[in-house]
Amino acid sequence: MAGMDVRLSSARGRWILACVVLASGMAMLDGTVVNVALPKMGRDLDASLSTLQWVVNAYMLTLSALLLWGGALGDRIGRRRTLVLGVAWFAVASALCGLAPDEGTLIAARALQGVGGALLTPGSLALVRAVYHPDDQARAVGAWSGLTGVAGALGPFLGGWLIDGPGWRWIFLINVPLAAVVLAIALRHVPESRDPAAADTPFDQLGAALAALCLAGVSYALIGASGGVPAGGTALAAVLGVAAGVAFVLVERRRAAPMLPPSLFRSRLFSATNGMTLCLYAGIGGILFLLPVQLQVALGYDALEAGVATLPITVLMLLLSARSGDLARRVGPTVPLVTGPLVAAVGVLLMLRIHPGSSYAADVLPAVGVLGLGMATFVAPLTATVLASVEPERAGLASGVNNTAARVAQLLVVAALPLAVGLSGEAYTRPDAVNTSFHRAAYGCAGLFVLSAVLAAVFVRPRTVRPRLAEAPRPQCRAHLGVTAPALEPGEDARRH
């Protein structure tokens, strides 16, 4: 395979690292600041809350449905080629987002942006693992993780400044020059790599289509139920979504090369950890979808202040996630996977103190700090446990499935949470309504963290996991803001097996 002997210390090695870090950082920037931009988007476009939900979920929908497919495409046609295609696609879609004249165009462009993200996201880490000399791969992944985390930390400052200054459209338009730099480096310095065995594996187009239809139908029904969509349309979408989900399960059970092999879930530990992932990332996604709205609408923060308010979470993730992974390898994952979610639940409950007139130092900072501490405790052990729950040769596929589970959790919680807490229509512009709904959301998201801790206590046993954790890849802290929050990506090398 070409490029497997590139040394990290060489000029080419540094160019490759710069390429993948910029590509990942470009995708991360939008995830960092889109939530912060929602109030200003709503005022500028005169949009309802359901429209703003679709601004978030249109991206998450296509990204979630196509992430595994994007990893498989890179293995088949070349990881550099797929990365280049994804970056170019992402840049064009970002320009359409920035220039969108109305809400419908913006939502469509965000869906296209998710397709680009599904192509470039698996490719960045896959290239790191494919092109560097084996002796340098661990250091290269560590450098990629750290530098990408720095990009995540800078996102709130840059994004908040853009939203308050040139305007929210620039959080998308800034991707165009960044993409041009990535493309120039990739075409000149990055070698091609692919998996020769992948050519013999057919694409599961039907599975991808059914997954997308299922997620779209369920999301449309949940968002539509909040208002603005006739009851008949909401019911039809729900029926189609559920039917597509059932068909997806049946199709995947019968295909020779399914996108989501059912055999993975024969492992109780793999099933349990993915159930935990759904709970944890739904909790993170839900509370940090509404927190920027609470800070801006109810407390009067500007966009930069709201973006920077959650920066302690990113800092704690960068400082503590690797240590948490080391602790899990020494004592087993049960303790961090039980205590971490419980600490995060306490942090979310502390957000009940955030209301009009609250102080950042006394009320907001302790809450986000405790939440960040809990996340730093559980994220790396969760990833390592997922990888250790399957055979080593299936670790790439397992990490891709787990990453998709995290995205789906965020997608569904953004669709369902406003309905569950009674926030709909134009209510997101009223401080009293936002404050009441945010506090209801805090109870629900804390409950999701507690449920995850219960699953860990019941299903994660140190004796069955700990020996294999020593063989699992060292988890890296990658500050990911996706829809909502900084968190470790549960694996971006979404490869087909």
Side-chain angles (χ1 to χ4, degrees):
M1 185 181 297
M4 280 295 291
D5 58 349
V6 176
R7 303 307 300 240
L8 181 60
S9 59
S10 67
R12 191 179 200 187
R14 291 191 293 269
W15 278 115
I16 294 170
L17 184 63
C19 176
V20 295
V21 167
L22 286 173
S24 300
M26 179 180 67
M28 183 180 296
L29 181 62
D30 280 1
T32 305
V33 298
V34 165
N35 274 10
V36 178
L38 291 178
K40 288 202 172 184
M41 284 183 188
R43 289 193 294 270
D44 189 20
L45 299 174
D46 193 24
S48 66
L49 179 61
S50 62
T51 296
L52 298 182
Q53 288 173 271
W54 275 116
V55 170
V56 174
N57 272 2
Y59 175 82
M60 293 302 300
L61 174 63
T62 51
L63 180 64
S64 301
L66 299 177
L67 193 61
L68 289 174
W69 187 83
L73 185 67
D75 287 344
R76 175 185 288 264
I77 70 170
R79 300 180 181 104
R80 184 188 73 166
R81 182 179 299 177
T82 304
L83 178 71
V84 167
L85 176 61
V87 169
W89 189 304
F90 194 87
V92 172
S94 296
L96 292 175
C97 290
L99 299 174
D102 53 50
E103 57 195 44
T105 305
L106 176 59
I107 291 170
R110 284 283 286 165
L112 291 174
Q113 204 180 28
V115 177
L119 294 173
L120 73 87
T121 299
S124 59
L125 183 56
L127 273 171
V128 170
R129 292 179 173 176
V131 304
Y132 285 107
H133 190 281
D135 293 343
D136 288 346
Q137 285 189 13
R139 287 196 301 125
V141 171
W144 176 86
S145 301
L147 291 171
T148 304
V150 171
L154 292 176
F157 294 100
L158 178 60
W161 176 80
L162 289 172
I163 295 164
D164 287 334
W168 62 265
R169 295 179 182 274
W170 282 92
I171 66 175
F172 301 113
L173 294 175
I174 197 173
N175 290 329
V176 177
L178 285 176
V181 173
V182 173
L183 291 173
I185 297 174
L187 294 174
R188 182 174 178 83
H189 297 286
V190 178
E192 186 59 279
S193 67
R194 56 175 55 86
D195 180 4
D200 299 327
T201 304
F203 283 131
D204 186 9
Q205 293 98 334
L206 179 58
L210 289 172
L213 183 59
C214 172
L215 294 174
V218 173
S219 297
Y220 185 88
L222 290 171
I223 294 174
S226 299
V229 177
T234 300
L236 179 60
V239 170
L240 288 176
V242 172
V246 173
F248 174 78
V249 173
L250 295 176
V251 166
E252 297 301 280
R253 291 178 63 182
R254 288 169 171 76
R255 294 185 76 87
M259 183 179 73
L260 182 61
S263 59
L264 281 175
F265 295 93
R266 293 172 186 162
S267 165
R268 291 181 61 193
L269 182 60
F270 182 79
S271 300
T273 49
N274 277 282
M276 293 168 57
T277 298
L278 289 171
C279 293
L280 293 171
Y281 279 83
I284 295 168
I287 199 64
L288 291 177
F289 172 65
L290 291 182
L291 179 59
V293 180
Q294 170 78 346
L295 293 177
Q296 292 179 76
V297 176
L299 277 72
Y301 283 31
D302 61 28
L304 178 58
E305 291 170 333
V308 174
T310 58
L311 186 60
I313 302 177
T314 306
V315 174
L316 288 168
M317 291 290 296
L318 288 171
L319 293 178
L320 301 179
S321 283
R323 295 180 183 180
S324 178
D326 290 336
L327 176 64
R329 277 189 294 277
R330 291 197 303 270
V331 305
T334 306
V335 172
L337 289 181
V338 172
T339 59
L342 293 178
V343 172
V346 172
V348 172
L349 291 176
L350 285 175
M351 293 185 184
L352 295 171
R353 301 169 58 193
I354 301 175
H355 52 74
S358 293
S359 161
Y360 178 78
D363 301 307
V364 181
L365 180 58
V368 297
V370 174
L371 174 60
L373 180 62
M375 289 171 58
T377 302
F378 70 70
V379 171
L382 177 64
T383 304
T385 305
V386 169
L387 297 179
S389 68
V390 299
E391 298 81 2
E393 62 270 16
R394 308 189 86 183
L397 177 61
S399 66
V401 171
N402 192 242
N403 192 16
T404 302
R407 307 283 188 174
V408 169
Q410 294 174 331
L411 167 71
L412 295 179
V413 77
V414 170
L417 189 60
L419 173 65
V421 299
L423 192 66
S424 61
E426 306 298 327
Y428 76 94
T429 64
R430 301 199 303 269
D432 57 339
V434 169
N435 186 63
T436 300
S437 296
F438 177 75
H439 289 169
R440 292 172 180 167
Y443 285 114
C445 292
L448 288 169
F449 285 121
V450 172
L451 178 58
S452 176
V454 172
L455 289 173
V458 173
F459 291 104
V460 180
R461 291 285 181 266
R463 291 183 179 179
T464 59
V465 179
R466 190 175 174 185
R468 297 181 66 183
L469 280 175
E471 304 169 2
R474 178 184 178 92
Q476 303 290 334
C477 174
R478 304 195 284 279
H480 151 64
L481 290 168
V483 172
T484 49
L488 182 78
E489 291 283 356
E492 296 185 4
D493 51 336
R495 305 180 190 181
R496 292 284 301 280
H497 178 66

